C-alpha cells in the first residue's frame, strides 16, 4: 500500500517540477522579449507606447487616426 502512495507522490512531484521548469523557461523568454522592446513617446500626442520597431514614431491611436484622415482626403 505504501508503494502505491509513494509512487503517486513521486509522480506528482515530477509533474510539478516539469511544470516549474516550463514556467521558468517561458518567463525567461518573456524577459528577453521585454528587453528588446522600446518604450517611446508619440510625437503627436505625447502618449507613451511600446514597440520593437525603431522607425515607428507615433502611437497606434495616432497611426489609426492618420490613416483615416488620409483615406478621407483630409491630409
Amino acid at each position: 500500500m505504501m508503494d502505491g502512495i509513494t509512487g503517486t507522490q513521486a509522480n506528482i512531484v515530477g509533474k510539478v517540477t516539469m511544470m516549474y521548469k516550463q514556467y521558468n523557461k517561458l518567463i525567461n523568454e518573456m524577459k528577453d522579449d521585454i528587453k528588446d522592446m522600446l518604450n517611446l513617446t508619440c510625437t503627436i500626442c505625447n502618449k507613451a507606447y511600446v514597440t520593437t520597431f525603431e522607425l515607428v514614431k507615433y502611437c497606434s491611436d495616432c497611426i489609426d487616426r492618420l490613416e483615416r484622415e488620409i483615406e478621407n482626403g483630409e491630409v
Side-chain angles (χ1 to χ4, degrees):
M1 181 98 176
M2 289 298 281
D3 289 335
I5 293 172
T6 304
T8 302
Q9 288 175 337
N11 192 17
I12 292 170
V13 169
K15 287 181 180 180
V16 170
T17 302
M18 184 174 60
M19 288 173 49
Y20 177 77
K21 288 180 181 179
Q22 290 173 343
Y23 172 78
N24 271 343
K25 181 181 176 187
L26 181 64
I27 294 297
N28 289 334
E29 289 173 1
M30 291 174 119
K31 285 180 183 178
D32 291 340
D33 289 342
I34 290 171
K35 288 178 189 174
D36 291 339
M37 294 179 86
L38 302 171
N39 188 9
L40 304 172
T41 304
C42 179
T43 57
I44 295 175
C45 68
N46 292 325
K47 186 170 99 175
Y49 67 99
V50 179
T51 184
T52 58
F53 189 60
E54 294 178 5
L55 300 177
V56 175
K57 301 295 181 196
Y58 312 118
C59 67
S60 58
D61 293 337
C62 287
I63 290 173
D64 291 341
R65 186 173 51 84
L66 289 170
E67 286 176 347
R68 281 192 307 274
E69 288 177 2
I70 290 171
E71 287 174 0
N72 295 333
E74 297 173 17
V75 176

